[in-house]
Protein backbone atom coordinates (compact mmCIF):
# COMPACT_ATOMS: atom_id res chain seq x y z
CA UNK A 1 0.00 0.00 0.00
CA UNK A 2 1.28 3.44 -0.87
CA UNK A 3 1.59 6.27 1.61
CA UNK A 4 -0.94 9.07 0.96
CA UNK A 5 1.71 11.81 0.94
CA UNK A 6 5.18 10.33 0.44
CA UNK A 7 6.85 13.74 0.23
CA UNK A 8 5.45 14.69 3.64
CA UNK A 9 6.57 11.35 5.03
CA UNK A 10 10.09 11.96 3.74
CA UNK A 11 10.12 15.50 5.21
CA UNK A 12 8.85 14.24 8.57
CA UNK A 13 11.46 11.48 8.68
CA UNK A 14 14.23 13.93 7.76
CA UNK A 15 13.08 16.29 10.52
CA UNK A 16 13.55 13.41 12.97
CA UNK A 17 17.04 12.74 11.62
CA UNK A 18 16.04 9.60 9.72
CA UNK A 19 17.78 8.98 6.41
CA UNK A 20 15.64 6.61 4.41
CA UNK A 21 17.10 3.92 2.15
CA UNK A 22 14.90 2.16 -0.37
CA UNK A 23 15.14 -1.29 -1.94
CA UNK A 24 15.63 -1.92 -5.66
CA UNK A 25 16.34 -4.79 -8.00
CA UNK A 26 17.19 -4.90 -11.71
CA UNK A 27 13.94 -6.67 -12.50
CA UNK A 28 10.79 -5.22 -14.02
CA UNK A 29 7.70 -6.52 -12.28
CA UNK A 30 4.89 -8.01 -14.36
CA UNK A 31 1.97 -5.65 -14.93
CA UNK A 32 3.94 -2.42 -14.39
CA UNK A 33 4.29 0.58 -16.66
CA UNK A 34 8.07 0.25 -16.34
CA UNK A 35 7.91 -3.22 -17.90
CA UNK A 36 5.70 -2.01 -20.76
CA UNK A 37 8.07 0.88 -21.46
CA UNK A 38 11.21 -1.24 -21.20
CA UNK A 39 9.86 -3.84 -23.61
CA UNK A 40 8.75 -1.16 -26.06
CA UNK A 41 12.18 0.46 -25.99
CA UNK A 42 14.14 -2.80 -26.01
CA UNK A 43 15.58 -2.26 -22.52
CA UNK A 44 14.84 -5.74 -21.20
CA UNK A 45 16.69 -8.94 -22.09
CA UNK A 46 14.68 -10.52 -24.92
CA UNK A 47 14.30 -14.27 -24.96
CA UNK A 48 14.49 -14.64 -21.21
CA UNK A 49 12.06 -14.07 -18.40
CA UNK A 50 13.54 -14.59 -14.96
CA UNK A 51 11.74 -15.75 -11.84
CA UNK A 52 11.28 -12.13 -10.74
CA UNK A 53 10.20 -10.61 -14.05
CA UNK A 54 12.10 -9.21 -17.00
CA UNK A 55 15.64 -8.06 -16.34
CA UNK A 56 16.84 -4.60 -17.35
CA UNK A 57 19.58 -5.03 -19.95
CA UNK A 58 22.30 -2.94 -18.36
CA UNK A 59 24.71 -3.97 -21.12
CA UNK A 60 22.85 -1.35 -23.17
CA UNK A 61 24.05 2.19 -22.34
CA UNK A 62 20.57 3.50 -23.24
CA UNK A 63 18.88 1.03 -20.87
CA UNK A 64 21.39 1.90 -18.14
CA UNK A 65 20.62 5.63 -18.56
CA UNK A 66 16.86 4.91 -18.59
CA UNK A 67 17.06 2.93 -15.35
CA UNK A 68 19.20 5.60 -13.67
CA UNK A 69 16.75 8.29 -14.81
CA UNK A 70 13.95 6.35 -13.09
CA UNK A 71 15.93 6.14 -9.83
CA UNK A 72 17.11 9.73 -9.71
CA UNK A 73 13.73 11.38 -8.92
CA UNK A 74 13.24 8.99 -6.00
CA UNK A 75 16.58 10.07 -4.56
CA UNK A 76 15.85 13.75 -5.21
CA UNK A 77 12.65 13.43 -3.15
CA UNK A 78 14.74 12.71 -0.07
CA UNK A 79 15.59 9.02 -0.17
CA UNK A 80 19.27 8.90 0.81
CA UNK A 81 20.29 5.61 -0.67
CA UNK A 82 19.51 2.24 -2.19
CA UNK A 83 19.81 -1.29 -0.93
CA UNK A 84 20.41 -2.94 -4.30
CA UNK A 85 19.22 -6.51 -4.23
CA UNK A 86 19.74 -9.31 -6.73
CA UNK A 87 21.80 -8.81 -9.86
CA UNK A 88 24.10 -11.78 -9.47
CA UNK A 89 21.81 -14.64 -10.36
CA UNK A 90 21.10 -13.71 -13.96
CA UNK A 91 21.31 -17.20 -15.37
CA UNK A 92 18.90 -16.60 -18.21
CA UNK A 93 20.16 -19.26 -20.60
CA UNK A 94 21.12 -19.45 -24.23
CA UNK A 95 17.91 -17.82 -25.45
CA UNK A 96 18.79 -14.52 -23.74
CA UNK A 97 19.77 -11.85 -26.25
CA UNK A 98 21.86 -9.17 -24.55
CA UNK A 99 22.42 -5.75 -26.15
CA UNK A 100 26.20 -6.16 -26.04
CA UNK A 101 25.91 -9.32 -28.18
CA UNK A 102 27.60 -11.59 -25.65
CA UNK A 103 25.99 -14.85 -24.54
CA UNK A 104 24.51 -15.12 -21.07
CA UNK A 105 27.45 -17.12 -19.75
CA UNK A 106 29.79 -14.17 -20.47
CA UNK A 107 27.43 -11.55 -19.05
CA UNK A 108 26.98 -13.45 -15.80
CA UNK A 109 30.06 -11.87 -14.20
CA UNK A 110 29.70 -8.53 -15.99
CA UNK A 111 26.14 -7.88 -14.85
CA UNK A 112 26.89 -7.41 -11.11
CA UNK A 113 29.46 -4.77 -12.05
CA UNK A 114 26.93 -2.95 -14.23
CA UNK A 115 24.26 -3.16 -11.51
CA UNK A 116 26.71 -1.68 -8.98
CA UNK A 117 27.54 1.11 -11.43
CA UNK A 118 23.88 1.87 -12.19
CA UNK A 119 22.97 2.29 -8.54
CA UNK A 120 26.15 3.81 -7.12
CA UNK A 121 26.63 6.40 -9.87
CA UNK A 122 23.08 7.63 -9.42
CA UNK A 123 23.32 7.84 -5.63
CA UNK A 124 26.62 9.75 -5.88
CA UNK A 125 25.25 12.09 -8.55
CA UNK A 126 22.33 13.07 -6.33
CA UNK A 127 23.77 12.88 -2.80
CA UNK A 128 27.55 12.86 -3.18
CA UNK A 129 29.24 11.41 -0.09
CA UNK A 130 26.02 11.69 1.96
CA UNK A 131 24.27 8.90 0.06
CA UNK A 132 24.61 5.18 0.52
CA UNK A 133 24.53 2.26 -1.88
CA UNK A 134 24.34 -1.16 -0.29
CA UNK A 135 25.05 -3.99 -2.68
CA UNK A 136 24.28 -7.66 -2.52
CA UNK A 137 25.87 -8.81 -5.72
CA UNK A 138 29.52 -9.17 -6.35
CA UNK A 139 31.90 -10.01 -9.07
CA UNK A 140 35.22 -8.71 -10.25
CA UNK A 141 35.20 -4.97 -9.60
CA UNK A 142 31.60 -4.69 -8.41
CA UNK A 143 32.41 -4.27 -4.74
CA UNK A 144 34.47 -1.13 -5.34
CA UNK A 145 31.30 0.82 -6.17
CA UNK A 146 29.23 -0.09 -3.12
CA UNK A 147 29.28 1.98 0.07
CA UNK A 148 28.47 -1.18 2.02
CA UNK A 149 27.83 -4.84 1.33
CA UNK A 150 24.95 -7.07 2.32
CA UNK A 151 25.91 -10.69 1.94
CA UNK A 152 22.48 -11.98 1.04
CA UNK A 153 20.07 -14.36 2.66
CA UNK A 154 22.48 -16.45 4.64
CA UNK A 155 21.44 -19.71 6.20
CA UNK A 156 21.87 -19.77 9.98
CA UNK A 157 24.23 -22.14 11.70
CA UNK A 158 22.24 -25.20 12.67
CA UNK A 159 24.95 -27.71 13.56
CA UNK A 160 25.44 -28.63 17.20
CA UNK A 161 28.74 -26.95 18.21
CA UNK A 162 29.53 -29.70 20.75
Amino acid sequence: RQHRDPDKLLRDLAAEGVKLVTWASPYLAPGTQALVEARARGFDVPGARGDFGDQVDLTSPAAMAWWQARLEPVLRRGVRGVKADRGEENVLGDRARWANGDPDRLNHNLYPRLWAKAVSETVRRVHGDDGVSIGRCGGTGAWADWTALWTGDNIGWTADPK
Side-chain angles (χ1 to χ4, degrees), residues 4 15 22 30-32 39-41 46 49 54-55 57 69 74 81 83 85 96 100 108-109 115 122 126 129 149:
R4 287 189 181 123
T22 192
T32 63
R39 283 183 177 172
R41 297 179 73 180
R49 302 290 178 253
D54 291 25
Q55 192 163 348
D57 187 349
V74 174
K83 188 277 183 189
D85 204 356
N100 67 358
H108 181 76
N109 288 332
W115 180 225
T122 311
V126 174
D129 290 339
L149 294 173

Side-chain angles (χ1 to χ4, degrees), residues 7-74:
D7 292 319
K8 181 180 181 322
L9 173 64
L10 291 170
R11 285 190 308 273
D12 291 348
L13 290 171
E16 295 293 324
V18 174
K19 294 183 179 182
L20 187 66
V21 174
T22 192
W23 176 91
S25 83
Y27 294 98
L28 302 160
T32 63
Q33 184 57 40
L35 175 59
V36 171
E37 183 178 345
R39 283 183 177 172
R41 297 179 73 180
F43 293 163
D44 64 331
V45 181
R49 302 290 178 253
D51 293 339
F52 305 102
D54 291 25
Q55 192 163 348
V56 178
D57 187 349
L58 296 175
T59 70
S60 160
M64 168 86 74
W66 172 80
W67 192 91
Q68 290 176 314
R70 294 182 62 82
L71 175 60
E72 193 166 321
V74 174

Side-chain angles (χ1 to χ4, degrees), residues 127-142:
H127 293 301
D129 290 339
D130 195 36
V132 63
S133 59
I134 304 166
R136 166 181 151 166
C137 66
T140 303

Side-chain angles (χ1 to χ4, degrees), residues 87-123:
E88 77 282 357
E89 76 281 75
N90 65 315
V91 182
L92 301 177
D94 292 337
R95 293 183 1 186
R97 294 183 308 279
W98 294 87
N100 67 358
D102 287 341
D104 190 61
R105 71 185 188 295
L106 294 181
N107 283 318
H108 181 76
N109 288 332
L110 173 65
Y111 199 83
R113 176 75 175 95
L114 296 173
W115 180 225
K117 177 182 176 184
V119 174
S120 297
E121 277 185 358
T122 311
V123 170

